[in-house]
Amino acid sequence: MTVWNLLDKLNIPYHNEDLILNAFVHSSYVNEQNKFLEDNERLEFMGDAVLQICVSERLFKNKVPLSEGDMTLYRAKLVCEEALASYSLKLGLNEYLMLGLGEERNGGRQRPSIIADLFESFIGALYLDSGMSSVNIILDIVMNKALNDLDSLGITDYKTKLQEYIQADSRKSVSYEVINVTGPSNAPEFEVVVKLDQLVFGIGKGLSKKKAEQMAAKDAFEKLVK
């Protein structure tokens, strides 16, 4: 199977084949071969910028509105090296990667840093060749599951961080209490306080009790560590 088979299978149009192929050219290949004059680093730069705006837009349009801070955390998780490398593997992009012999022998085809850069360069090439619609086809495949279940991304668990911080100096534990619920029954907003020895240390709101507890823990943690 070639990259052209992959694009055809996904109904992604392509016009400049040299541009698409350039996304798969690692610097080690350029150093050993005369076929390509340029590696994929400039396309990687382009793809990084495209991913930032695409992922930001998807988070902004999330069915449950996210705060700026939450969007920043989720975006960082969705475009980190580990995530980008997993996208490359899911699409099988590393199969088409052009590596120098030394890099091939040293496992470059599976190296997270290399295949994460590959995904960015691939996105950059698609954007330049056929626009955002092609990029969105790819992102639908590799990101939709995570975007539909943001909790699965494992963003910082402030409840755990707060508990660990408190227990570092004592054996006390914190407790959480819902103090208010507002909004319609099908979309309530919870307001929660976190207490230590019946003293309120933090307060938070969220569209679920779990989210409100996390926000309260975050509020308390940030106050305590100042």
Side-chain angles (χ1 to χ4, degrees):
M1 186 172 177
T2 67
V3 65
W4 314 121
N5 296 137
L6 173 65
L7 294 176
D8 288 339
K9 180 181 178 181
L10 299 177
N11 293 316
I12 294 176
Y14 49 91
H15 309 96
N16 187 338
E17 294 187 1
D18 287 340
L19 176 67
I20 301 296
L21 284 176
N22 195 228
F24 297 87
V25 180
H26 188 256
S27 57
S28 63
Y29 188 85
V30 175
N31 294 335
E32 295 181 11
Q33 305 288 336
N34 295 320
K35 186 175 180 181
F36 293 92
L37 298 176
E38 184 180 8
D39 60 32
N40 63 5
E41 289 179 359
R42 292 202 315 138
L43 286 174
E44 176 198 337
F45 172 85
M46 191 72 218
D48 175 71
V50 173
L51 282 170
Q52 291 293 321
I53 188 64
C54 284
V55 175
S56 296
E57 180 181 359
R58 286 166 181 245
L59 290 170
F60 186 85
K61 293 179 177 178
N62 190 60
K63 58 186 177 181
V64 176
L66 301 168
S67 69
E68 178 189 1
D70 284 343
M71 286 193 290
T72 300
L73 288 171
Y74 286 129
R75 184 179 64 188
K77 192 75 171 180
L78 287 164
V79 298
C80 69
E81 180 181 288
E82 180 183 0
L84 296 176
S86 73
Y87 305 153
S88 270
L89 292 174
K90 184 171 185 176
L91 294 168
L93 298 183
N94 61 325
E95 296 176 19
Y96 319 124
L97 185 59
M98 287 174 262
L99 293 168
L101 293 177
E103 196 63 65
E104 185 78 73
R105 284 195 297 266
N106 290 327
R109 197 169 295 277
Q110 300 291 329
R111 186 170 298 152
S113 60
I114 291 178
I115 60 177
D117 292 347
L118 168 61
F119 184 78
E120 288 184 324
S121 61
F122 180 59
I123 290 296
L126 289 183
Y127 173 76
L128 292 171
D129 186 61
S130 52
M132 200 66 84
S133 60
S134 296
V135 171
N136 281 320
I137 290 173
I138 297 297
L139 297 190
D140 284 344
I141 294 170
V142 299
M143 282 188 190
N144 269 8
K145 182 177 179 181
L147 285 165
N148 289 331
D149 183 16
L150 291 173
D151 287 341
S152 68
L153 294 175
I155 299 302
T156 303
D157 181 355
Y158 280 100
K159 289 180 68 175
T160 298
K161 290 183 71 171
L162 178 62
Q163 188 67 45
E164 290 173 346
Y165 182 84
I166 295 296
Q167 290 187 336
D169 293 322
S170 70
R171 294 185 177 276
K172 298 176 181 178
S173 61
V174 297
S175 61
Y176 295 85
E177 179 183 338
V178 177
I179 60 170
N180 196 23
V181 181
T182 59
S185 59
N186 62 335
E189 181 179 58
F190 295 83
E191 186 172 14
V192 168
V193 293
V194 56
K195 295 180 177 181
L196 177 64
D197 288 340
Q198 299 306 308
L199 294 175
V200 173
F201 271 67
I203 186 168
K205 293 182 179 181
L207 297 181
S208 70
K209 183 180 176 182
K210 179 180 177 181
K211 180 64 175 177
E213 289 177 349
Q214 283 287 348
M215 296 307 293
K218 180 176 184 289
D219 182 44
F221 180 79
E222 290 177 345
K223 289 175 181 175
L224 288 170
V225 298
K226 282 184 177 179

PDB file of all heavy atoms in Angstrom, residues 198-226:
ATOM      1  N   GLN A 198     -13.445  21.310  58.169  1.00  0.00           N
ATOM      2  CA  GLN A 198     -14.648  22.145  58.082  1.00  0.00           C
ATOM      3  C   GLN A 198     -14.373  23.580  57.630  1.00  0.00           C
ATOM      4  O   GLN A 198     -15.281  24.409  57.606  1.00  0.00           O
ATOM      5  CB  GLN A 198     -15.402  22.163  59.433  1.00  0.00           C
ATOM      6  CG  GLN A 198     -15.873  20.788  59.875  1.00  0.00           C
ATOM      7  CD  GLN A 198     -16.714  20.102  58.798  1.00  0.00           C
ATOM      8  OE1 GLN A 198     -17.674  20.668  58.284  1.00  0.00           O
ATOM      9  NE2 GLN A 198     -16.342  18.872  58.450  1.00  0.00           N
ATOM     10  N   LEU A 199     -13.148  23.875  57.271  1.00  0.00           N
ATOM     11  CA  LEU A 199     -12.827  25.189  56.724  1.00  0.00           C
ATOM     12  C   LEU A 199     -12.807  25.117  55.197  1.00  0.00           C
ATOM     13  O   LEU A 199     -12.210  24.198  54.622  1.00  0.00           O
ATOM     14  CB  LEU A 199     -11.466  25.671  57.236  1.00  0.00           C
ATOM     15  CG  LEU A 199     -11.355  25.952  58.739  1.00  0.00           C
ATOM     16  CD1 LEU A 199      -9.911  26.307  59.092  1.00  0.00           C
ATOM     17  CD2 LEU A 199     -12.298  27.074  59.157  1.00  0.00           C
ATOM     18  N   VAL A 200     -13.455  26.069  54.548  1.00  0.00           N
ATOM     19  CA  VAL A 200     -13.502  26.083  53.082  1.00  0.00           C
ATOM     20  C   VAL A 200     -12.165  26.574  52.538  1.00  0.00           C
ATOM     21  O   VAL A 200     -11.709  27.673  52.867  1.00  0.00           O
ATOM     22  CB  VAL A 200     -14.654  26.978  52.583  1.00  0.00           C
ATOM     23  CG1 VAL A 200     -14.585  27.109  51.062  1.00  0.00           C
ATOM     24  CG2 VAL A 200     -16.002  26.403  53.023  1.00  0.00           C
ATOM     25  N   PHE A 201     -11.571  25.755  51.695  1.00  0.00           N
ATOM     26  CA  PHE A 201     -10.275  26.110  51.104  1.00  0.00           C
ATOM     27  C   PHE A 201     -10.400  26.485  49.625  1.00  0.00           C
ATOM     28  O   PHE A 201      -9.520  27.130  49.063  1.00  0.00           O
ATOM     29  CB  PHE A 201      -9.288  24.942  51.240  1.00  0.00           C
ATOM     30  CG  PHE A 201      -8.506  24.965  52.508  1.00  0.00           C
ATOM     31  CD1 PHE A 201      -9.136  24.771  53.729  1.00  0.00           C
ATOM     32  CD2 PHE A 201      -7.140  25.195  52.500  1.00  0.00           C
ATOM     33  CE1 PHE A 201      -8.421  24.796  54.911  1.00  0.00           C
ATOM     34  CE2 PHE A 201      -6.416  25.233  53.685  1.00  0.00           C
ATOM     35  CZ  PHE A 201      -7.053  25.029  54.898  1.00  0.00           C
ATOM     36  N   GLY A 202     -11.470  26.034  48.978  1.00  0.00           N
ATOM     37  CA  GLY A 202     -11.624  26.330  47.564  1.00  0.00           C
ATOM     38  C   GLY A 202     -13.052  26.157  47.118  1.00  0.00           C
ATOM     39  O   GLY A 202     -13.853  25.475  47.773  1.00  0.00           O
ATOM     40  N   ILE A 203     -13.381  26.776  45.992  1.00  0.00           N
ATOM     41  CA  ILE A 203     -14.732  26.700  45.456  1.00  0.00           C
ATOM     42  C   ILE A 203     -14.637  26.575  43.942  1.00  0.00           C
ATOM     43  O   ILE A 203     -13.726  27.124  43.305  1.00  0.00           O
ATOM     44  CB  ILE A 203     -15.559  27.947  45.862  1.00  0.00           C
ATOM     45  CG1 ILE A 203     -17.014  27.798  45.437  1.00  0.00           C
ATOM     46  CG2 ILE A 203     -14.934  29.219  45.293  1.00  0.00           C
ATOM     47  CD1 ILE A 203     -17.920  28.855  46.059  1.00  0.00           C
ATOM     48  N   GLY A 204     -15.566  25.824  43.364  1.00  0.00           N
ATOM     49  CA  GLY A 204     -15.528  25.646  41.909  1.00  0.00           C
ATOM     50  C   GLY A 204     -16.898  25.337  41.351  1.00  0.00           C
ATOM     51  O   GLY A 204     -17.798  24.868  42.061  1.00  0.00           O
ATOM     52  N   LYS A 205     -17.047  25.620  40.063  1.00  0.00           N
ATOM     53  CA  LYS A 205     -18.303  25.342  39.360  1.00  0.00           C
ATOM     54  C   LYS A 205     -18.035  24.453  38.149  1.00  0.00           C
ATOM     55  O   LYS A 205     -16.950  24.490  37.567  1.00  0.00           O
ATOM     56  CB  LYS A 205     -18.955  26.649  38.898  1.00  0.00           C
ATOM     57  CG  LYS A 205     -19.446  27.550  40.023  1.00  0.00           C
ATOM     58  CD  LYS A 205     -20.112  28.801  39.453  1.00  0.00           C
ATOM     59  CE  LYS A 205     -20.626  29.708  40.561  1.00  0.00           C
ATOM     60  NZ  LYS A 205     -21.290  30.923  40.008  1.00  0.00           N
ATOM     61  N   GLY A 206     -19.051  23.687  37.769  1.00  0.00           N
ATOM     62  CA  GLY A 206     -18.920  22.837  36.596  1.00  0.00           C
ATOM     63  C   GLY A 206     -20.256  22.269  36.188  1.00  0.00           C
ATOM     64  O   GLY A 206     -21.211  22.256  36.978  1.00  0.00           O
ATOM     65  N   LEU A 207     -20.323  21.793  34.937  1.00  0.00           N
ATOM     66  CA  LEU A 207     -21.570  21.232  34.429  1.00  0.00           C
ATOM     67  C   LEU A 207     -21.769  19.774  34.835  1.00  0.00           C
ATOM     68  O   LEU A 207     -22.696  19.121  34.372  1.00  0.00           O
ATOM     69  CB  LEU A 207     -21.618  21.385  32.905  1.00  0.00           C
ATOM     70  CG  LEU A 207     -21.623  22.850  32.416  1.00  0.00           C
ATOM     71  CD1 LEU A 207     -21.698  22.905  30.893  1.00  0.00           C
ATOM     72  CD2 LEU A 207     -22.780  23.619  33.027  1.00  0.00           C
ATOM     73  N   SER A 208     -20.874  19.298  35.688  1.00  0.00           N
ATOM     74  CA  SER A 208     -21.049  18.001  36.349  1.00  0.00           C
ATOM     75  C   SER A 208     -20.458  18.135  37.743  1.00  0.00           C
ATOM     76  O   SER A 208     -19.604  19.007  37.991  1.00  0.00           O
ATOM     77  CB  SER A 208     -20.344  16.876  35.575  1.00  0.00           C
ATOM     78  OG  SER A 208     -18.941  17.020  35.671  1.00  0.00           O
ATOM     79  N   LYS A 209     -20.912  17.290  38.649  1.00  0.00           N
ATOM     80  CA  LYS A 209     -20.376  17.324  40.014  1.00  0.00           C
ATOM     81  C   LYS A 209     -18.876  17.047  40.008  1.00  0.00           C
ATOM     82  O   LYS A 209     -18.098  17.700  40.715  1.00  0.00           O
ATOM     83  CB  LYS A 209     -21.106  16.295  40.873  1.00  0.00           C
ATOM     84  CG  LYS A 209     -20.680  16.290  42.339  1.00  0.00           C
ATOM     85  CD  LYS A 209     -21.453  15.234  43.131  1.00  0.00           C
ATOM     86  CE  LYS A 209     -20.959  15.173  44.572  1.00  0.00           C
ATOM     87  NZ  LYS A 209     -21.666  14.107  45.332  1.00  0.00           N
ATOM     88  N   LYS A 210     -18.462  16.105  39.162  1.00  0.00           N
ATOM     89  CA  LYS A 210     -17.053  15.737  39.068  1.00  0.00           C
ATOM     90  C   LYS A 210     -16.206  16.923  38.618  1.00  0.00           C
ATOM     91  O   LYS A 210     -15.143  17.194  39.169  1.00  0.00           O
ATOM     92  CB  LYS A 210     -16.904  14.566  38.084  1.00  0.00           C
ATOM     93  CG  LYS A 210     -15.489  14.093  37.878  1.00  0.00           C
ATOM     94  CD  LYS A 210     -15.473  12.927  36.894  1.00  0.00           C
ATOM     95  CE  LYS A 210     -14.040  12.470  36.614  1.00  0.00           C
ATOM     96  NZ  LYS A 210     -14.012  11.360  35.631  1.00  0.00           N
ATOM     97  N   LYS A 211     -16.694  17.640  37.607  1.00  0.00           N
ATOM     98  CA  LYS A 211     -15.954  18.783  37.098  1.00  0.00           C
ATOM     99  C   LYS A 211     -15.890  19.897  38.148  1.00  0.00           C
ATOM    100  O   LYS A 211     -14.847  20.531  38.332  1.00  0.00           O
ATOM    101  CB  LYS A 211     -16.621  19.303  35.822  1.00  0.00           C
ATOM    102  CG  LYS A 211     -15.936  20.517  35.197  1.00  0.00           C
ATOM    103  CD  LYS A 211     -14.528  20.186  34.727  1.00  0.00           C
ATOM    104  CE  LYS A 211     -13.908  21.365  34.009  1.00  0.00           C
ATOM    105  NZ  LYS A 211     -12.510  21.092  33.596  1.00  0.00           N
ATOM    106  N   ALA A 212     -16.991  20.128  38.844  1.00  0.00           N
ATOM    107  CA  ALA A 212     -17.017  21.163  39.876  1.00  0.00           C
ATOM    108  C   ALA A 212     -16.042  20.828  41.008  1.00  0.00           C
ATOM    109  O   ALA A 212     -15.369  21.717  41.545  1.00  0.00           O
ATOM    110  CB  ALA A 212     -18.432  21.317  40.421  1.00  0.00           C
ATOM    111  N   GLU A 213     -15.956  19.561  41.381  1.00  0.00           N
ATOM    112  CA  GLU A 213     -15.013  19.151  42.421  1.00  0.00           C
ATOM    113  C   GLU A 213     -13.571  19.399  41.973  1.00  0.00           C
ATOM    114  O   GLU A 213     -12.729  19.853  42.751  1.00  0.00           O
ATOM    115  CB  GLU A 213     -15.204  17.669  42.765  1.00  0.00           C
ATOM    116  CG  GLU A 213     -16.491  17.390  43.523  1.00  0.00           C
ATOM    117  CD  GLU A 213     -16.694  15.902  43.793  1.00  0.00           C
ATOM    118  OE1 GLU A 213     -15.944  15.086  43.199  1.00  0.00           O
ATOM    119  OE2 GLU A 213     -17.588  15.567  44.588  1.00  0.00           O
ATOM    120  N   GLN A 214     -13.288  19.102  40.702  1.00  0.00           N
ATOM    121  CA  GLN A 214     -11.952  19.351  40.173  1.00  0.00           C
ATOM    122  C   GLN A 214     -11.611  20.842  40.214  1.00  0.00           C
ATOM    123  O   GLN A 214     -10.487  21.236  40.558  1.00  0.00           O
ATOM    124  CB  GLN A 214     -11.837  18.829  38.737  1.00  0.00           C
ATOM    125  CG  GLN A 214     -11.674  17.334  38.616  1.00  0.00           C
ATOM    126  CD  GLN A 214     -10.286  16.863  39.042  1.00  0.00           C
ATOM    127  OE1 GLN A 214      -9.368  17.651  39.228  1.00  0.00           O
ATOM    128  NE2 GLN A 214     -10.141  15.560  39.216  1.00  0.00           N
ATOM    129  N   MET A 215     -12.573  21.667  39.864  1.00  0.00           N
ATOM    130  CA  MET A 215     -12.329  23.107  39.848  1.00  0.00           C
ATOM    131  C   MET A 215     -12.139  23.648  41.270  1.00  0.00           C
ATOM    132  O   MET A 215     -11.331  24.541  41.508  1.00  0.00           O
ATOM    133  CB  MET A 215     -13.480  23.831  39.155  1.00  0.00           C
ATOM    134  CG  MET A 215     -13.642  23.472  37.675  1.00  0.00           C
ATOM    135  SD  MET A 215     -12.118  23.651  36.711  1.00  0.00           S
ATOM    136  CE  MET A 215     -11.898  25.425  36.778  1.00  0.00           C
ATOM    137  N   ALA A 216     -12.880  23.088  42.216  1.00  0.00           N
ATOM    138  CA  ALA A 216     -12.712  23.489  43.618  1.00  0.00           C
ATOM    139  C   ALA A 216     -11.333  23.065  44.125  1.00  0.00           C
ATOM    140  O   ALA A 216     -10.656  23.823  44.836  1.00  0.00           O
ATOM    141  CB  ALA A 216     -13.815  22.870  44.479  1.00  0.00           C
ATOM    142  N   ALA A 217     -10.928  21.850  43.774  1.00  0.00           N
ATOM    143  CA  ALA A 217      -9.610  21.361  44.181  1.00  0.00           C
ATOM    144  C   ALA A 217      -8.508  22.212  43.555  1.00  0.00           C
ATOM    145  O   ALA A 217      -7.498  22.512  44.208  1.00  0.00           O
ATOM    146  CB  ALA A 217      -9.448  19.895  43.775  1.00  0.00           C
ATOM    147  N   LYS A 218      -8.690  22.600  42.307  1.00  0.00           N
ATOM    148  CA  LYS A 218      -7.711  23.452  41.624  1.00  0.00           C
ATOM    149  C   LYS A 218      -7.588  24.799  42.343  1.00  0.00           C
ATOM    150  O   LYS A 218      -6.482  25.300  42.574  1.00  0.00           O
ATOM    151  CB  LYS A 218      -8.135  23.668  40.161  1.00  0.00           C
ATOM    152  CG  LYS A 218      -7.201  24.554  39.330  1.00  0.00           C
ATOM    153  CD  LYS A 218      -7.698  24.596  37.893  1.00  0.00           C
ATOM    154  CE  LYS A 218      -6.747  25.387  36.990  1.00  0.00           C
ATOM    155  NZ  LYS A 218      -6.784  26.825  37.248  1.00  0.00           N
ATOM    156  N   ASP A 219      -8.731  25.362  42.705  1.00  0.00           N
ATOM    157  CA  ASP A 219      -8.745  26.646  43.414  1.00  0.00           C
ATOM    158  C   ASP A 219      -7.991  26.533  44.740  1.00  0.00           C
ATOM    159  O   ASP A 219      -7.150  27.383  45.068  1.00  0.00           O
ATOM    160  CB  ASP A 219     -10.194  27.067  43.651  1.00  0.00           C
ATOM    161  CG  ASP A 219     -10.308  28.421  44.344  1.00  0.00           C
ATOM    162  OD1 ASP A 219      -9.576  29.356  43.959  1.00  0.00           O
ATOM    163  OD2 ASP A 219     -11.134  28.549  45.266  1.00  0.00           O
ATOM    164  N   ALA A 220      -8.262  25.458  45.480  1.00  0.00           N
ATOM    165  CA  ALA A 220      -7.607  25.259  46.771  1.00  0.00           C
ATOM    166  C   ALA A 220      -6.110  24.999  46.607  1.00  0.00           C
ATOM    167  O   ALA A 220      -5.277  25.552  47.334  1.00  0.00           O
ATOM    168  CB  ALA A 220      -8.266  24.092  47.512  1.00  0.00           C
ATOM    169  N   PHE A 221      -5.765  24.160  45.662  1.00  0.00           N
ATOM    170  CA  PHE A 221      -4.355  23.804  45.439  1.00  0.00           C
ATOM    171  C   PHE A 221      -3.528  25.029  45.087  1.00  0.00           C
ATOM    172  O   PHE A 221      -2.440  25.247  45.619  1.00  0.00           O
ATOM    173  CB  PHE A 221      -4.254  22.739  44.338  1.00  0.00           C
ATOM    174  CG  PHE A 221      -2.850  22.298  44.040  1.00  0.00           C
ATOM    175  CD1 PHE A 221      -2.208  21.388  44.867  1.00  0.00           C
ATOM    176  CD2 PHE A 221      -2.163  22.809  42.944  1.00  0.00           C
ATOM    177  CE1 PHE A 221      -0.918  20.988  44.601  1.00  0.00           C
ATOM    178  CE2 PHE A 221      -0.873  22.408  42.679  1.00  0.00           C
ATOM    179  CZ  PHE A 221      -0.236  21.494  43.500  1.00  0.00           C
ATOM    180  N   GLU A 222      -4.058  25.846  44.180  1.00  0.00           N
ATOM    181  CA  GLU A 222      -3.315  27.025  43.728  1.00  0.00           C
ATOM    182  C   GLU A 222      -3.140  28.036  44.861  1.00  0.00           C
ATOM    183  O   GLU A 222      -2.141  28.748  44.935  1.00  0.00           O
ATOM    184  CB  GLU A 222      -4.001  27.647  42.519  1.00  0.00           C
ATOM    185  CG  GLU A 222      -3.891  26.779  41.277  1.00  0.00           C
ATOM    186  CD  GLU A 222      -4.628  27.342  40.065  1.00  0.00           C
ATOM    187  OE1 GLU A 222      -5.457  28.260  40.264  1.00  0.00           O
ATOM    188  OE2 GLU A 222      -4.395  26.866  38.952  1.00  0.00           O
ATOM    189  N   LYS A 223      -4.110  28.099  45.757  1.00  0.00           N
ATOM    190  CA  LYS A 223      -3.984  29.004  46.912  1.00  0.00           C
ATOM    191  C   LYS A 223      -2.933  28.481  47.893  1.00  0.00           C
ATOM    192  O   LYS A 223      -2.150  29.259  48.445  1.00  0.00           O
ATOM    193  CB  LYS A 223      -5.336  29.132  47.628  1.00  0.00           C
ATOM    194  CG  LYS A 223      -6.380  29.927  46.867  1.00  0.00           C
ATOM    195  CD  LYS A 223      -7.713  29.894  47.593  1.00  0.00           C
ATOM    196  CE  LYS A 223      -8.783  30.669  46.831  1.00  0.00           C
ATOM    197  NZ  LYS A 223     -10.121  30.536  47.469  1.00  0.00           N
ATOM    198  N   LEU A 224      -2.929  27.177  48.118  1.00  0.00           N
ATOM    199  CA  LEU A 224      -2.031  26.587  49.110  1.00  0.00           C
ATOM    200  C   LEU A 224      -0.569  26.623  48.676  1.00  0.00           C
ATOM    201  O   LEU A 224       0.327  26.730  49.526  1.00  0.00           O
ATOM    202  CB  LEU A 224      -2.452  25.160  49.406  1.00  0.00           C
ATOM    203  CG  LEU A 224      -3.739  24.981  50.222  1.00  0.00           C
ATOM    204  CD1 LEU A 224      -4.173  23.533  50.227  1.00  0.00           C
ATOM    205  CD2 LEU A 224      -3.528  25.475  51.656  1.00  0.00           C
ATOM    206  N   VAL A 225      -0.309  26.488  47.387  1.00  0.00           N
ATOM    207  CA  VAL A 225       1.089  26.395  46.943  1.00  0.00           C
ATOM    208  C   VAL A 225       1.704  27.762  46.636  1.00  0.00           C
ATOM    209  O   VAL A 225       2.871  27.851  46.280  1.00  0.00           O
ATOM    210  CB  VAL A 225       1.217  25.498  45.694  1.00  0.00           C
ATOM    211  CG1 VAL A 225       0.773  24.094  46.009  1.00  0.00           C
ATOM    212  CG2 VAL A 225       0.422  26.062  44.518  1.00  0.00           C
ATOM    213  N   LYS A 226       0.931  28.837  46.771  1.00  0.00           N
ATOM    214  CA  LYS A 226       1.485  30.168  46.520  1.00  0.00           C
ATOM    215  C   LYS A 226       2.512  30.523  47.588  1.00  0.00           C
ATOM    216  O   LYS A 226       2.366  30.179  48.746  1.00  0.00           O
ATOM    217  CB  LYS A 226       0.356  31.225  46.531  1.00  0.00           C
ATOM    218  CG  LYS A 226      -0.434  31.232  45.225  1.00  0.00           C
ATOM    219  CD  LYS A 226      -1.453  32.342  45.235  1.00  0.00           C
ATOM    220  CE  LYS A 226      -2.209  32.409  43.911  1.00  0.00           C
ATOM    221  NZ  LYS A 226      -3.232  33.459  43.894  1.00  0.00           N
TER     222      LYS A 226
END
